[in-house]
Amino acid sequence: MMANKLRQTIQKLSCSIVAIPNMKKFFSFFLLFSLSSALFGQRIGSVTGTVSDKNLQTALAGATVEVMGTGLAAITDSLGRFRISSIPPKTYTLRFSLISYTPFTLYNVVVTSGNERNIDVQLEPDVKKLEEVQVNSNRRTARAASLETPLSVQRLTTEEIRSNPGGNFDISRVIQALPGVGGTSGSVGGYRNDIIIRGGAPNENVYYLDGIEIPVINHFATQGSAGGPTGILNVSFIEDVKLSSSAFDARYDNAVSSVFQFRQRNGNPNHFQGNLRLSATELAGTVEGPLSGKTSFLASVRRSYLQLLFQAIDLPIRPNYWDFQYKVTHRVDKKTTLTFLGVGAIDDFTFAAPRKASPEKLYILDATAPIHQWNYTVGASLRRQIRNGFWNLSLSRNMFDNQIEKYDENDGDNESKRRLGIYSQETENKLRFDISKTVSGWKLSYGTMLQYVASENDNFYRLRKEIRDENGALLQPALIRDYRSDISFFRYGLFAQAGRRFFNDRLGLSAGIRNDMNSFTRNGKNWLRTLSPRFSASWVLADQWTLNGSAGIYYKLPPYTLLSFRDNNGLLVNRSAEYLRSTHYTIGTEFLPENNTRFTLEFFYKKYRHVPVSVKDGISLANMGGDFGILGNEAVITNGKGRTWGLELFAQQKLSSRFFGTFSYTWFYSRYSGADGIEKASAWDNRHLLSFLMGYKFNRNWELGLKFRYQGGAPFTPFDMQASQLNYLTLGTGIPDYTRLNSNRLRAFHAGDIRIDKKWNFRKTTFNLFLDITNWYKAANQAIPQFTFRRNADNTTFLSTDGQAVREDGSNAIPLLLSNEDATIIPTIGFIIEF
């Protein structure tokens, strides 16, 4: 309901922006100024960057960089650097080549006069020709796979993220168009950034930014899980994104569904530049440039102004957020690079009484708790080249602070009316060291990690209030969780991975092993319980065909909210919790008919063990975490099981002339068992995921993007009408009937998005005007209905069956299920200025 109201509001705000007189004057002034500048300035752009060896991380001198179709080219210097200037602004294809290395082609490189493109490319040693199979030397261009992860891997470039219709420059939303990736379509109608990979829970994924783990990538995140309404990461920083949904490299711990690797570009080494982005929901600015001959930087800040506009149009929601990001790269010497990075956010979600009440607005006020969060991740990594490889040392710290409070009637001055009070803080300090080498054709990597974790949790949660009838008879005793917990412990692990190609490079084999332990849980130091082997193989069937397979066992530590939970006697009741275990089996084929075209078909099976099950409700926690609450603050038993299985089809056409596009379809089942041991459909069991994305680049810097998304109906649990009526006045929400867990299904979710871009290039600036329309054909998408009581005509009080005030036990109230679906078109107009 809250997400749907956000969408309706954005529509009104987007349409109203162009109606603001000052905005009209600004546009007119800027266009006139820009047109005059165009008459007197030459409009040219440039591309700069570096070329290095992918395996050794050494700079490659003498590499050729060509701007295809122009005759422009450059040769890299002794530090692997290049710069090509005097390029007419438009979209190009760049080709990188060097003797003894596989040529690499980079498509969809947009050159503008406002910002110089900074590109860092890694080349792989040349693949030998097979005796009977002619290998196309460019076939790795469209391929995203590696020796360690030959399948279940996708890659998006920065331009594919920027131009994604309906994405609103949000990486978390863009990746939902990839195969096997779904979003939460139940509680909020498909408009949250939960990332559901092949039917797994939202908290089964890990995220790395230039090798530094970042646990939070969304604003207003669900603690203990993941997701939120909008992402934190700035797309202006990103070089590319790699998603692995199986066959994980052994260096990554705590991943059971996916690993996301966000690779940031370096700041421009030649001159200061930046961009300013204004849309219907936010203002963002990015700057970059050299700090010295060896040091460059990137920095950004973003501000939401929705809270001011929501007030103007009388919605009770007041979301307000800031986020920050930076990267500093320093070349210590020819072999050593030092990098500093950071990302953080400040989130406040508050409410205010509407001037004109409605049942939906009043439900939001009564049911939803204000949220106050902040988080950050800061880190430093030192990379040093050694003989046949390199080592990497990284040190990072991340912190998450979460405060949630809720009172009956929103009366924060009366402590007796408190429903909820959560004051939680989680801190991780991480040290990682790993070595990667190539010796006699073998790719080797090994390393270790150490973490010091601290978790504080001050928790008050009134699950049920004591309720008596009109005669004073007890109908329901109170049930309250009230505890304060402060824990700290160490996590440590080590890994090794080895791989090589055989039979004249036709067969690729890779094997890895990982072990993780901790000093907190009762079995945390038993290394045999978390031994994590994995194996992958790749066989070249023909020049364009490859058969791939993998198997592996992966483990994940339960969330800190669960580990730090205490009962009302102060006992840590979840210390016996086991690591979640997921076993993967995957097989598939890849077909590369052209350098820029890719088809994949994969079959997957995942088997879960040691899934946390709620002692109170008897359901698997794998069904939870898709809302704006908190996951894990309860006693559990880790004896749940689960399975997901299905197939994925993916087709991709990289932009080589004017057209680019992707198509993906996933069919799958997702089932988990609870206390009864019976497997039931999970909350993520949509069965069908389909997405289609295309873009076309016209003349004069016009671009059109189209996207269609479809998710099968999400399962949901109906309300226990009797318990809901009894507790509604003291909880503000209905109570699910978990004896009928996920027995109902919503209608399928589908939506179409359109994006139109137009760029004007001037002497030293670029102006990009965009129109992004989400759900352009006005599909009505259903979310889980909301339980409330019927109100009178002017929404000042609840109606009753006897004409009297509604009793505390709700016995004379009139239950009502609010329909939670909207058919809303969301147009967003905005612009980007590059300078």
Side-chain angles (χ1 to χ4, degrees):
M1 177 74 73
M2 181 168 60
N4 291 337
K5 291 303 175 186
L6 280 169
R7 290 159 48 211
Q8 290 177 338
T9 302
I10 291 172
Q11 177 189 14
K12 298 176 183 178
L13 298 179
S14 304
C15 295
S16 63
I17 273 188
V18 294
I20 301 174
N22 289 336
M23 187 65 71
K24 284 185 176 181
K25 293 179 181 178
F26 173 78
F27 273 110
S28 300
F29 170 78
F30 187 85
L31 290 176
L32 288 172
F33 169 77
S34 300
L35 288 172
S36 63
S37 298
L39 295 175
F40 301 103
Q42 185 181 9
R43 294 170 291 173
I44 58 173
S46 57
V47 176
T48 189
T50 61
V51 180
S52 59
D53 183 299
K54 184 175 182 179
N55 295 336
L56 306 179
Q57 297 295 299
T58 54
L60 293 179
T64 300
V65 184
E66 302 173 76
V67 183
M68 306 300 290
T70 67
L72 298 173
I75 304 296
T76 57
D77 64 14
S78 61
L79 297 177
R81 300 175 302 187
F82 70 91
R83 187 168 188 262
I84 306 174
S85 56
S86 300
I87 307 173
K90 58 181 284 190
T91 301
Y92 292 96
T93 296
L94 301 187
R95 189 174 188 272
F96 300 80
S97 60
L98 180 63
I99 295 175
S100 299
Y101 285 85
T102 301
F104 178 79
T105 304
L106 185 61
Y107 298 103
N108 204 2
V109 178
V110 179
V111 176
T112 67
S113 59
N115 282 175
E116 181 177 63
R117 280 296 302 268
N118 188 25
I119 299 171
D120 299 312
V121 169
Q122 297 177 340
L123 298 182
E124 293 188 78
D126 198 7
V127 178
K128 299 177 184 178
K129 290 185 178 181
L130 309 184
E131 293 179 356
E132 299 180 357
V133 178
Q134 182 68 29
V135 176
N136 184 332
S137 64
N138 282 325
R139 70 190 183 99
R140 292 180 183 273
T141 297
R143 173 176 288 175
S146 63
L147 178 63
E148 298 81 6
T149 309
L151 77 172
S152 301
V153 59
Q154 311 295 336
R155 190 186 300 273
L156 289 174
T157 66
T158 181
E159 197 58 35
E160 290 169 330
I161 297 170
R162 289 172 188 261
S163 59
N164 189 283
N168 197 28
F169 304 97
D170 189 340
I171 299 171
S172 301
R173 189 162 299 173
V174 171
I175 56 183
Q176 293 183 22
L178 295 176
V181 184
T184 305
S185 59
S187 60
V188 295
Y191 286 93
R192 259 174 64 101
N193 281 350
D194 297 291
I195 300 173
I196 315 300
I197 306 292
R198 293 179 170 177
N203 64 353
E204 295 177 7
N205 314 302
V206 294
Y207 311 95
Y208 284 82
L209 188 67
D210 288 345
I212 301 292
E213 186 178 3
I214 48 172
V216 181
I217 65 169
N218 287 297
H219 290 283
F220 308 105
T222 301
Q223 189 176 3
S225 183
T230 188
I232 292 175
L233 297 180
N234 185 348
V235 67
S236 296
F237 279 56
I238 303 301
E239 188 79 60
D240 60 44
V241 180
K242 181 180 179 181
L243 162 64
S244 304
S245 49
S246 194
F248 309 136
D249 191 309
R251 72 181 68 243
Y252 300 114
D253 63 295
N254 236 34
V256 291
S257 270
S258 77
V259 176
F260 284 87
Q261 297 165 254
F262 300 98
R263 187 166 68 96
Q264 298 183 112
R265 62 185 181 87
N266 294 324
N268 190 286
N270 302 315
H271 60 262
F272 178 87
Q273 63 183 31
N275 67 70
L276 181 71
R277 184 176 78 241
L278 176 67
S279 71
T281 58
E282 63 191 20
L283 175 66
T286 302
V287 293
E288 61 179 298
L291 294 175
S292 69
K294 293 184 176 182
T295 310
S296 65
F297 80 97
L298 270 169
S300 74
V301 61
R302 180 171 57 160
R303 173 74 160 102
S304 163
Y305 49 82
L306 284 174
Q307 73 283 3
L308 302 176
L309 300 176
F310 281 16
Q311 181 179 2
I313 62 174
D314 194 29
L315 271 182
I317 305 169
R318 299 290 187 271
N320 178 22
Y321 62 81
W322 290 79
D323 57 51
F324 316 88
Q325 195 168 338
Y326 71 87
K327 179 182 181 181
V328 177
T329 305
H330 176 66
R331 181 167 48 83
V332 179
D333 55 42
K334 195 172 182 178
K335 293 185 176 182
T336 311
T337 302
L338 177 63
T339 302
F340 299 93
L341 62 83
V343 59
I346 302 172
D347 304 329
D348 283 297
F349 205 110
T350 57
F351 302 87
R355 296 186 295 273
K356 184 177 181 180
S358 70
E360 291 79 11
K361 292 178 183 179
L362 294 175
Y363 177 86
I364 292 173
L365 277 177
D366 198 37
T368 312
I371 301 172
H372 307 282
Q373 291 182 358
W374 55 262
N375 70 84
Y376 69 81
T377 299
V378 294
S381 63
L382 183 66
R383 175 166 291 184
R384 173 76 177 175
Q385 297 168 19
I386 57 177
R387 184 180 179 183
N388 299 324
F390 63 93
W391 57 256
N392 189 78
L393 175 67
S394 65
L395 178 65
S396 66
R397 175 183 173 90
N398 55 264
M399 199 167 186
F400 179 80
D401 186 279
N402 190 24
Q403 298 181 27
I404 306 175
E405 289 187 307
K406 188 64 180 177
Y407 296 84
D408 294 338
E409 302 166 0
N410 294 307
D411 184 3
D413 296 326
N414 189 340
E415 189 63 28
S416 66
K417 294 186 177 182
R418 179 184 288 275
R419 294 181 191 169
L420 182 66
I422 294 175
Y423 310 94
S424 180
Q425 195 170 89
E426 297 175 355
T427 307
E428 294 177 318
N429 301 280
K430 303 175 183 179
L431 178 67
R432 299 179 187 270
F433 180 76
D434 59 79
I435 296 174
S436 299
K437 303 182 76 173
T438 302
V439 180
S440 300
W442 286 89
K443 289 186 66 175
L444 307 173
S445 61
Y446 48 93
T448 186
M449 73 88 177
L450 175 67
Q451 299 185 30
Y452 177 71
V453 176
S455 176
E456 300 179 19
N457 201 347
D458 190 348
N459 186 288
F460 177 90
Y461 185 13
R462 189 181 70 201
L463 288 89
R464 293 198 309 255
K465 186 177 182 180
E466 180 183 287
I467 297 178
R468 297 179 180 271
D469 65 16
E470 54 187 333
N471 298 317
L474 181 66
L475 298 177
Q476 173 181 274
L479 178 59
I480 295 174
R481 291 181 188 148
D482 189 3
Y483 67 92
R484 184 167 187 171
S485 185
D486 184 355
I487 65 171
S488 59
F489 60 95
F490 286 96
R491 295 171 55 185
Y492 39 94
L494 48 89
F495 78 92
Q497 183 114 16
R500 184 177 178 175
R501 300 189 184 276
F502 300 91
F503 302 118
N504 218 13
D505 294 317
R506 170 173 269 172
L507 174 66
L509 298 178
S510 181
I513 192 164
R514 179 170 189 94
N515 191 237
D516 291 286
M517 292 171 282
N518 74 85
S519 62
F520 180 78
T521 61
R522 288 193 170 89
N523 292 320
K525 297 179 182 179
N526 186 343
W527 64 274
L528 292 175
R529 301 182 75 92
T530 56
L531 202 59
S532 176
R534 71 275 322 265
F535 174 79
S536 61
S538 177
W539 178 260
V540 179
L541 299 172
D543 175 30
Q544 301 168 339
W545 289 90
T546 307
L547 180 65
N548 308 297
S550 71
I553 300 174
Y554 311 102
Y555 289 93
K556 179 186 182 302
L557 187 70
Y560 300 137
T561 50
L562 188 152
L563 296 179
S564 64
F565 174 77
R566 297 177 186 265
D567 63 17
N568 289 350
N569 296 318
L571 298 178
L572 291 164
V573 298
N574 291 329
R575 295 196 71 167
S576 296
E578 299 282 357
Y579 280 77
L580 173 68
R581 169 175 166 157
S582 181
T583 304
H584 292 207
Y585 304 97
T586 311
I587 188 170
T589 185
E590 182 180 57
F591 175 52
L592 296 152
E594 301 290 344
N595 298 335
N596 57 353
T597 307
R598 177 178 179 236
F599 296 91
T600 63
L601 175 65
E602 294 186 7
F603 299 87
F604 63 88
Y605 180 85
K606 296 195 295 185
K607 186 176 182 180
Y608 289 89
R609 292 292 182 268
H610 309 313
V611 182
V613 173
S614 168
V615 172
K616 170 180 169 288
D617 297 319
I619 67 168
S620 171
L621 262 61
N623 287 290
M624 314 299 287
D627 55 16
F628 291 90
I630 188 169
L631 174 71
N633 278 3
E634 58 180 307
V636 301
I637 300 176
T638 51
N639 63 352
K641 298 180 180 180
R643 291 184 302 153
T644 72
W645 67 93
L647 64 86
E648 291 175 356
L649 175 65
F650 181 63
Q652 182 178 35
Q653 172 69 44
K654 292 279 189 180
L655 185 142
S656 58
S657 177
R658 293 181 180 272
F659 171 82
F660 64 93
T662 64
F663 171 85
S664 69
Y665 170 71
T666 305
W667 168 86
F668 70 100
Y669 276 77
S670 174
R671 303 178 68 82
Y672 288 88
S673 66
D676 59 5
I678 301 173
E679 284 190 355
K680 300 175 183 177
S682 78
W684 330 113
D685 185 46
N686 298 90
R687 304 284 174 87
H688 302 279
L689 302 174
L690 184 146
S691 70
F692 170 74
L693 170 67
M694 65 149 289
Y696 192 86
K697 303 215 171 193
F698 298 91
N699 293 328
R700 299 182 180 275
N701 292 317
W702 285 92
E703 183 174 344
L704 172 68
L706 298 173
K707 181 170 70 175
F708 174 77
R709 295 167 293 152
Y710 176 92
Q711 294 184 26
F716 74 95
T717 303
F719 291 110
D720 182 328
M721 298 300 289
Q722 182 177 352
S724 297
Q725 186 167 351
L726 180 65
N727 289 276
Y728 178 73
L729 290 182
T730 60
L731 294 181
T733 62
I735 296 178
D737 181 2
Y738 287 124
T739 64
R740 297 184 288 162
L741 177 69
N742 292 334
S743 58
N744 290 2
R745 279 187 184 267
L746 302 173
R747 295 195 307 270
F749 168 89
H750 57 94
D753 308 326
I754 298 177
R755 181 183 171 98
I756 301 172
D757 284 79
K758 167 62 177 172
K759 292 184 178 71
W760 289 271
N761 286 284
F762 309 111
R763 186 170 181 269
K764 292 184 178 181
T765 59
T766 298
F767 182 73
N768 182 3
L769 182 67
F770 63 87
L771 172 66
D772 201 326
I773 305 175
T774 301
N775 195 22
W776 65 268
Y777 61 85
K778 204 176 182 180
N781 287 302
Q782 185 183 28
I784 297 174
Q786 309 291 355
F787 181 94
T788 185
F789 291 156
R790 190 176 298 278
R791 296 179 179 270
N792 62 2
D794 58 3
N795 295 297
T796 56
T797 188
F798 291 118
L799 295 175
S800 64
T801 57
D802 55 9
Q804 303 299 312
V806 172
R807 290 187 282 273
E808 186 180 40
D809 63 5
S811 58
N812 64 336
I814 304 173
L816 172 68
L817 292 181
L818 289 173
S819 174
N820 194 1
E821 57 184 281
D822 290 298
T824 306
I825 300 174
I826 308 174
T828 300
I829 189 169
F831 62 82
I832 304 170
I833 303 174
E834 297 180 0
F835 55 87

